[in-house]
Amino acid sequence: MYEFVKSISLIFYPLGLGLSLAGVALALWHLGRQRPGAVALGAAILVLWVFSMPAVADRMMAALERGWSDVPVESLPEADAVLVLGGAFGTGNGQFLYPSAGGAVDRYWHGARIYHAGRAPQVILSGGRQPHRTGGLTEAEAGAMFLADMGVPREAMILEARAQTTRGHVEELAPLLAEHGISSLLVVTSAAHMRRSIATLSALEVTLVPVATGFSVSDEPEFRLRRLLPSADALSRSTRAMHEHIGLAYYRIRGWA
């Protein structure tokens, strides 16, 4: 089911949608229907161009990040634990000597920052490995290695190394929180991921305090032409935003958020 959902969702992302339309254009041309084929090809180019524009990508990300505050860790309330939601590390199915970090590594950095500020005595690291990965460290284990390098003592960490999705965090964390008597959490994840995370984690019978990090959109003081020109980075950001929008809609349909 995990692979099926992940595969189907790729079709609705900008790149998948654009290539699907291009495939339709080729099929129509092959059938001798040049005009509809040209329309489909034009739509494919338009989709890829629009979602590759920094102006569009920023607007999509801003819609997700809006409403979450970027505040000093010293001003956060105290809680029983910091919960860092995984999604930052890769181990090459055990082929890498050390974990490689991706763009979401700031979640762990922020978790360490909060711990050192004395906001919580424990840090929970939640994240397993994808089903097709059978070797190497889990996300939580790789995160523990990173936090140890950041000066967080191993005895202050609680690892949940099974969750594969945002919904999976709820299923795996519930018994863990009860076991450790944890009733309040500072939830750390990327700002764009926070809306879906809090909506899903609300199923846990604990107090949740969202602590967003990894903001990607800032106010632009003036218009620049290149914000309308396509870039790979903008396509990546609009795809991340689409992932969150589709994910939240899917979770609501399933009754998980």
Side-chain angles (χ1 to χ4, degrees), residues 20 27 34 41 67 75 94 119 123 158 175-176 185 200 203 206 212 230 233 245:
S20 296
Q34 280 76 18
L41 180 60
S75 67
R119 299 297 91 189
V123 181
I158 301 174
L176 192 65
L185 292 170
T200 307
V206 298
D233 179 67
H245 286 296

Side-chain angles (χ1 to χ4, degrees), residues 111-153:
R113 190 181 289 125
I114 294 169
Y115 172 82
H116 288 306
R119 299 297 91 189
Q122 296 176 303
V123 181
I124 301 174
L125 307 176
S126 183
R129 62 169 67 92
Q130 295 178 0
H132 65 283
R133 301 290 189 183
T134 58
L137 300 176
T138 64
E139 173 73 21
E141 291 166 341
M145 180 184 293
F146 182 87
L147 286 191
D149 290 342
M150 297 291 290
V152 178

Side-chain angles (χ1 to χ4, degrees), residues 72-207:
V73 294
E74 293 78 13
S75 67
L76 295 173
E78 293 186 1
D80 292 335
V82 180
L83 169 61
V84 179
L85 300 182
F89 295 102
T91 61
N93 203 27
Q95 298 174 31
F96 301 159
L97 183 60
Y98 300 106
S100 60
V105 73
D106 43 16
R107 302 179 188 181
Y108 292 91
W109 190 7
H110 208 49
R113 190 181 289 125
I114 294 169
Y115 172 82
H116 288 306
R119 299 297 91 189
Q122 296 176 303
V123 181
I124 301 174
L125 307 176
S126 183
R129 62 169 67 92
Q130 295 178 0
H132 65 283
R133 301 290 189 183
T134 58
L137 300 176
T138 64
E139 173 73 21
E141 291 166 341
M145 180 184 293
F146 182 87
L147 286 191
D149 290 342
M150 297 291 290
V152 178
R154 183 62 183 81
E155 58 269 22
M157 303 181 208
I158 301 174
L159 272 59
E160 181 292 295
R162 293 173 58 88
Q164 299 170 349
T165 63
T166 302
R167 170 62 181 176
H169 293 306
V170 173
E171 297 169 344
E172 301 297 340
L173 284 171
L176 192 65
L177 298 179
E179 176 187 346
H180 290 271
I182 294 172
S183 61
S184 57
L185 292 170
L186 298 171
V187 181
V188 178
T189 191
S190 305
H193 183 235
M194 186 61 78
R195 183 180 301 175
R196 182 158 59 107
S197 297
I198 292 297
T200 307
L201 292 172
S202 62
L204 297 172
E205 296 181 357
V206 298
T207 300

Side-chain angles (χ1 to χ4, degrees), residues 21 23-41:
L21 287 169
V24 170
L26 289 174
L28 289 171
W29 282 341
H30 182 71
L31 295 174
R33 304 186 64 184
Q34 280 76 18
R35 181 169 294 179
V39 171
L41 180 60

